[in-house]
Amino acid sequence: MALPSLVTGWYPPSRENWEFIAHAWQFFPLVTAVQWLTDWYPAGKTSVESKYNLPGKWAWAVMESVGPITVMYCMLTIPSKVGVDTLPWGNWTMAFLYVVHYIYRAPIFAYVSPSMSPIHPLVFASACLWNLINGLSIGGWVGGYGPNTREAWAGRLYQMEIGLVIWGWSFLANFFHDDDLREIRRSTLRRQKEQAKKEGKPIEGIDKFYMVPKNGLFQYVLFAHYLCEFFEWAGFWMVGGLDCLPARTFLINEMATMIPRAVAGKRWYIEKFGKEKIGKRKAIFPGLL
């Protein structure tokens, strides 16, 4: 049963509006260019003290849930608008990959993180808007404005299989490197609890505790989890086909957003721990950047 439209013509988008969104979304890297000019980013390692800050865990879970909710909403509303009774398996495969990633990225990530720095409302609102537009772009495509018949997916099996393998291994690598960062705080919290028990003192806390990660690809780059996510969405793009504009735009926009953040993050690591501690590690691409 199709769900009702929440905002006529836009949520879910009409075909005309979806085409506008998908086309305009390609130019988002022009917006992210400002990140090369400043290190100011009031979240995570570089969060700032503000009375307007939002609790990190729930703000993260909410803003990262906007995308998958939007994609699934499009999947349940657009087919009836284009006269499709059942979307082909290729569409559901792409939706599955997207939603699985964000189930981990939103509620699970927030739940398993020992602590998360507060998030400024500006970052929260920007992330919600980013995920909304990206969700409409991808949701419109998989919801029926892209391929909507089995014939449209014909001949793509091997390309999809390769894309699924890339996506799967990259997803696991992303989780591994995320968990390596979490383990830094988990192990620190365990030591603090043991010390507090022995000395009868309160636990210091790990809200703003950082160390230089060393395992896996962290031996070569400081933001290995970003790099793994790039490969993950490259696999997603391959599943949809090289002509899948929303998947390609998603990958490019994510890279345009996260690369300057990683470069700024490396400067933060050097300032906090010193050049000797960082060594020859690059920010995000081994041996390059």
Side-chain angles (χ1 to χ4, degrees), residues 261-281:
R261 199 180 301 167
V263 172
K266 182 181 178 182
R267 289 194 290 267
W268 179 89
Y269 270 110
I270 290 174
E271 183 179 339
K272 186 171 181 65
F273 298 103
K275 287 186 178 181
E276 280 192 19
K277 190 76 172 178
I278 303 305
K280 295 182 179 180
R281 292 182 182 88

Side-chain angles (χ1 to χ4, degrees), residues 213-266:
K214 300 177 180 179
N215 297 317
L217 292 176
F218 282 127
Q219 299 174 67
Y220 311 103
V221 294
L222 292 165
F223 289 83
H225 47 318
Y226 286 11
L227 180 60
C228 293
E229 195 162 322
F230 293 166
F231 278 106
E232 189 180 341
W233 295 122
F236 179 77
W237 177 21
M238 185 172 288
V239 172
L242 298 182
D243 60 345
C244 179
L245 175 63
R248 183 182 71 209
T249 302
F250 179 20
L251 174 60
I252 293 173
N253 285 351
E254 182 164 275
M255 293 179 71
T257 301
M258 297 169 76
I259 290 174
R261 199 180 301 167
V263 172
K266 182 181 178 182

